[in-house]
């Protein structure tokens, strides 16, 4: 099995203190830092761009997992790579040439991810699966934090894991992840759990406890010691 990882989403952090928030979740046990980039066009919200990521980069050596909810994405891939992203994930719906986008990400020396909205079939990834290091399953409609988990995502996670087969591909899930559903998500085949509100609620003093609760629930479901 791929390693179990918890990736707090900075979208739920205090934007007035992003550097401190990145350091806090790093020290609280985050494996990756998840960065949701929204353009107000592809999704109905605007978050931050490569400048903000570059400003956050000195505050952690953890993997920066950048999820681009933007269209078009190709003109900005180099900027996000230069800003310090380690993984760059693009939506299959964000343009007609996702194959080319993934090629560009890999040529920039970054790990390539691909994702799809809840209504998009997993089969749309079949012809690019050999180019990806990560498949991200959206378990909410992208654009806003704090949404409830869509149960139908569990079947999609399982089909993504089957599509990955024996390839070294991480299966990530993003949207409404809590300690209450982390076990089901892990059993379905996800090994990277993105959590925003469930981590950042109640302030920095609770981050370690919140991350551990998600990790322990998923680890138990995987048959690993909690």
């Amino acid at each position: 099995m791929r390693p179990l990882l918890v990736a707090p989403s900075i979208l739920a952090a205090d934007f007035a203190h992003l550097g401190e928030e990145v350091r806090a979740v790093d020290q609280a046990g985050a494996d990756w830092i998840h960065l949701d980039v929204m353009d107000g066009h592809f999704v109905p919200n605007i978050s931050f761009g490569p400048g903000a990521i570059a400003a956050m980069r000195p505050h952690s050596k953890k993997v920066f997992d950048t999820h681009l909810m933007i269209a078009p994405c190709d003109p900005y891939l180099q900027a996000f790579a230069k800003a310090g992203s380690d993984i760059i994930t693009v939506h299959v719906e964000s343009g007609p040439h996702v194959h080319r986008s993934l090629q560009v990400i890999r040529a920039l020396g970054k790990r390539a991810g691909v994702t799809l909205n809840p209504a998009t079939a997993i089969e749309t990834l079949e012809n690019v699966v050999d180019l990806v290091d990560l498949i991200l399953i959206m378990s909410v409609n992208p654009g806003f934090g704090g949404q409830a988990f869509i149960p139908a995502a569990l079947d999609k996670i399982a089909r993504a894991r089957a599509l990955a087969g024996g390839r070294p591909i991480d299966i990530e899930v993003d949207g409404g992840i809590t300690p209450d559903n982390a076990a089901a998500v892990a059993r379905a085949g996800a090994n990277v759990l993105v959590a925003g509100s469930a981590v950042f609620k109640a302030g920095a003093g609770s981050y370690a406890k919140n991350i551990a609760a998600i990790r322990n629930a998923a680890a138990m479901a995987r048959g690993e010691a909690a």
Side-chain angles (χ1 to χ4, degrees):
M1 290 191 295
R2 302 288 296 167
L4 175 62
L5 306 170
V6 178
S9 172
I10 293 300
L11 188 64
D14 180 355
F15 274 31
H17 303 93
L18 284 178
E20 292 92 332
E21 292 280 64
V22 169
R23 290 199 304 272
V25 291
D26 181 327
Q27 294 166 8
D31 298 294
W32 293 356
I33 307 297
H34 188 78
L35 303 165
D36 286 308
V37 178
M38 304 178 183
D39 64 358
H41 167 68
F42 182 67
V43 294
N45 202 356
I46 297 173
S47 59
F48 48 77
I53 292 176
M56 287 184 268
R57 182 70 274 185
H59 295 276
S60 175
K61 294 183 179 179
K62 298 287 177 68
V63 167
F64 269 22
D65 173 31
T66 300
H67 172 201
L68 299 184
M69 290 170 273
I70 66 175
C73 63
D74 288 1
Y76 305 100
L77 296 175
Q78 185 171 6
F80 282 105
K82 186 177 180 181
S85 302
D86 298 294
I87 305 167
I88 301 176
T89 296
V90 296
H91 273 257
V92 71
E93 309 93 349
S94 66
H97 305 296
V98 67
H99 186 282
R100 181 166 63 198
S101 301
L102 294 167
Q103 286 181 313
V104 170
I105 294 167
R106 296 178 77 86
L108 289 166
K110 304 300 179 179
R111 294 166 65 186
V114 66
T115 186
L116 61 168
N117 290 331
T120 303
I122 198 74
E123 287 76 16
T124 58
L125 306 184
E126 287 180 350
N127 291 324
V128 297
V129 68
D130 288 318
L131 281 176
V132 303
D133 302 290
L134 176 145
I135 296 172
L136 170 56
I137 300 300
M138 292 302 301
S139 46
V140 297
N141 286 292
F144 298 95
Q147 299 182 70
F149 181 85
I150 298 172
L154 294 172
D155 178 64
K156 190 176 281 188
I157 293 166
R159 286 187 286 137
R161 176 54 69 195
L163 178 63
R167 302 174 183 87
I169 294 175
D170 290 308
I171 305 298
E172 183 174 47
V173 61
D174 181 6
I177 297 299
T178 70
D180 293 332
N181 57 32
V185 165
R187 280 194 296 267
N191 68 291
V192 184
L193 280 62
V194 176
S197 302
V199 168
F200 286 94
K201 65 181 181 181
S206 67
Y207 294 171
K209 179 186 70 174
N210 295 341
I211 291 170
I214 293 168
R215 187 189 309 279
N216 291 344
M220 290 290 288
R222 287 161 52 102
E224 300 169 353

